[in-house]
Amino acid sequence: PMAAAISVDDGARVAASGGPEGVRATATARMLRRMRTDYLASKHGRKHSYWSETPERGEFDPVSKISAEDDGTPAGRWKYYIDDGLLVPNITHKPTLVHLARMAANAYQPTTSETWEPLGDRWDTHESFGWTEDGVRGHVFADDRNTTVVVTLKGTSSTFFLGGGSETSVRDKFNDNRLFSCCCAYVDFTWSTVCDCHRPGAKCSTTCLMNELNDEGADNYFFAAAQIIMDVIKRYPNADVILTGHSLGGSLATLMGLTLGIPAVGFEALGDRMAARRLHLPLPPAVALERLPLFHVGNTADPVFMGMCTGRTSSCYYAGYALESKCHNGRIMVFDTVARRNWRMDIRHHRINEVLYLVFEPWGVVDPEETIPLLLTEDKDCVDCGLWTFFDEDSPR
């Protein structure tokens, strides 16, 4: 049975009206609300969450946590900035950006891999998760003072993305199509959908979609990611926690960052705005969404990041991926590889290693005119699934 709609309380509002966003709360949404409430009441949440309005937040001095070594030198040190009392990694600082991208790349590798990206003496792998299971995987990195902890989430492992397949590939694909397709990955009659919410014509039942997101046991990566991140916060109660990942992992990171109000950086990640609304993630009433410490970094030749891997002529179609969302929460940093590198849009430019080696690391080395792109907000006219009609089957309308 459907749950009651989420009420508006504790300064949060729910994006739960109109379009493909859906109309009702699900078990996932209720879990996230409980987790968010518990987190904001915790010591870490009172000091480190963008959503916190407690006295502890005002008394917290993040500047004191930045040492003189955090000025970008020697190599491997990060730069930060302070936003409303929150310590945020400055990804417009190239060494900071590159290090986070290396961490996101390492999420695909066990610590013993020969292709492990070096992070320098400052960072250590404190924990790894999911490597004995068929599901969410990644690592937990901590700096040499345990003041900054980074949780990395693995994206989709698939030969389609030229990153190699793994035992998680089937579940990765299922969750991609579940979270980031317009309607259960229904494209045409030849497809096997992940749920049965499609109705004759380009119509989709939001009632059905909400029910599908209700099952935490149906390969739902969101439940697993939430539990992992909360466990890390409990283990490191005094550290600044940052979330990152690539592709599916990047979208999961930013969705969890939105839930908790902590910094998150997604690399070449799918548009997460539609999933955030369908999951009824809490949004602030007085702060613009673009002020959140949520960042999406990608390049113009990646059809997944640009929301162009759709339609019967796309490589996604032939591989069975319905990656139809394109609108991102927070701010985006776009490297124009089409203009600067003469690249054509190609799924190969979605790989984290390719953008790390051919874009992020060499950017600006040869051509001084190549400056790190500005952080911008997504186009306000960005619309997901504009050709679909969404309706609530329980509504008399």
Side-chain angles (χ1 to χ4, degrees):
M2 295 301 296
I6 298 176
S7 62
V8 178
D9 61 359
D10 62 14
R13 66 179 175 83
V14 177
S17 60
E21 296 82 358
V23 292
R24 297 177 187 271
T26 66
T28 306
R30 291 196 301 273
M31 180 274 291
L32 293 175
R33 288 185 68 241
R34 288 194 300 268
M35 182 184 70
R36 174 180 178 271
T37 299
D38 292 343
Y39 173 65
L40 291 180
S42 70
K43 178 181 177 181
H44 194 278
R46 292 195 301 269
K47 291 185 177 181
H48 295 271
S49 174
Y50 202 93
W51 297 151
S52 176
E53 298 179 355
T54 62
E56 290 93 333
R57 172 73 181 281
E59 296 171 359
F60 179 53
D61 179 19
V63 179
S64 64
K65 300 188 69 176
I66 303 178
S67 72
E69 296 177 324
D70 286 316
D71 62 357
T73 57
R77 296 294 177 180
W78 291 12
K79 280 190 175 181
Y80 299 85
Y81 68 89
I82 311 301
D83 186 1
D84 194 20
L86 191 69
L87 190 66
V88 182
N90 183 1
I91 64 169
T92 63
H93 176 238
K94 183 177 173 181
T96 305
L97 177 70
V98 169
H99 265 74
L100 280 167
R102 288 175 180 169
M103 290 176 176
N106 283 341
Y108 288 89
Q109 307 291 338
T111 55
T112 56
S113 172
E114 295 181 356
T115 57
W116 183 267
E117 293 293 333
L119 301 174
D121 296 335
R122 183 188 182 194
W123 296 96
D124 184 29
T125 310
H126 277 213
E127 304 282 348
S128 297
F129 52 86
W131 293 96
T132 60
E133 303 170 0
D134 177 9
V136 175
R137 290 182 177 178
H139 303 288
V140 179
F141 301 99
D143 66 3
D144 48 14
R145 293 173 292 163
N146 274 359
T147 58
T148 301
V149 173
V150 182
V151 181
T152 65
L153 299 172
K154 184 185 76 67
T156 301
S157 295
S158 171
T159 53
F160 164 62
F161 292 116
L162 304 180
S166 79
E167 57 270 25
T168 70
S169 296
V170 173
R171 287 191 175 184
D172 293 344
K173 183 176 181 179
F174 181 89
N175 280 273
D176 272 322
N177 284 339
R178 194 169 186 236
L179 284 171
F180 305 108
S181 69
C182 292
C183 190
C184 305
Y186 179 87
V187 177
D188 57 38
F189 68 93
T190 65
W191 278 58
S192 296
T193 60
V194 295
C195 56
D196 297 317
C197 301
H198 170 254
R199 301 293 180 262
K203 295 181 180 180
C204 188
S205 166
T206 53
T207 310
C208 177
L209 287 176
M210 294 303 102
N211 275 324
E212 288 300 321
L213 290 176
N214 191 55
D215 184 3
E216 63 180 282
D219 296 314
N220 193 332
Y221 277 17
F222 214 86
F223 275 91
Q227 293 167 2
I228 290 165
I229 293 166
M230 290 306 297
D231 183 62
V232 169
I233 289 173
K234 290 178 181 178
R235 290 171 182 255
Y236 302 91
N238 299 313
D240 290 290
V241 177
I242 300 166
L243 311 178
T244 191
H246 166 258
S247 191
L248 171 62
S251 296
L252 289 173
T254 55
L255 286 168
M256 287 305 306
L258 174 61
T259 302
L260 301 177
I262 59 179
V265 183
F267 292 96
E268 308 294 338
L270 303 95
D272 58 342
R273 186 182 301 174
M274 180 173 68
R277 289 173 174 169
R278 287 180 175 179
L279 288 165
H280 298 286
L281 300 189
L283 300 175
V287 180
L289 194 59
E290 59 268 18
R291 284 288 309 279
L292 293 173
L294 307 177
F295 309 104
H296 290 275
V297 184
N299 79 94
T300 54
D302 176 7
V304 173
F305 174 74
M306 299 298 292
M308 301 295 290
C309 204
T310 60
R312 297 186 179 185
T313 61
S314 72
S315 51
C316 287
Y317 175 89
Y318 291 107
Y321 287 84
L323 306 180
E324 298 167 305
S325 60
K326 61 181 179 180
C327 305
H328 297 89
N329 289 318
R331 282 165 282 182
I332 58 175
M333 175 185 286
V334 184
F335 287 81
D336 194 351
T337 52
V338 172
R340 307 298 304 186
R341 296 286 189 269
N342 293 319
W343 286 3
R344 293 183 179 180
M345 191 165 285
D346 191 310
I347 194 62
R348 289 173 291 185
H349 302 318
H350 178 70
R351 286 185 63 185
I352 182 61
N353 288 336
E354 174 150 335
V355 294
L356 175 59
Y357 301 150
L358 302 182
V359 182
F360 301 154
E361 289 185 347
W363 198 265
V365 174
V366 177
D367 187 351
E369 293 186 1
E370 286 186 344
T371 57
I372 297 296
L374 298 175
L375 281 169
L376 304 173
T377 58
E378 187 78 76
D379 187 349
K380 293 182 178 180
D381 295 327
C382 182
V383 176
D384 285 311
C385 305
L387 298 179
W388 283 83
T389 299
F390 296 85
F391 65 96
D392 178 9
E393 289 183 320
D394 291 343
S395 172
R397 297 176 60 189

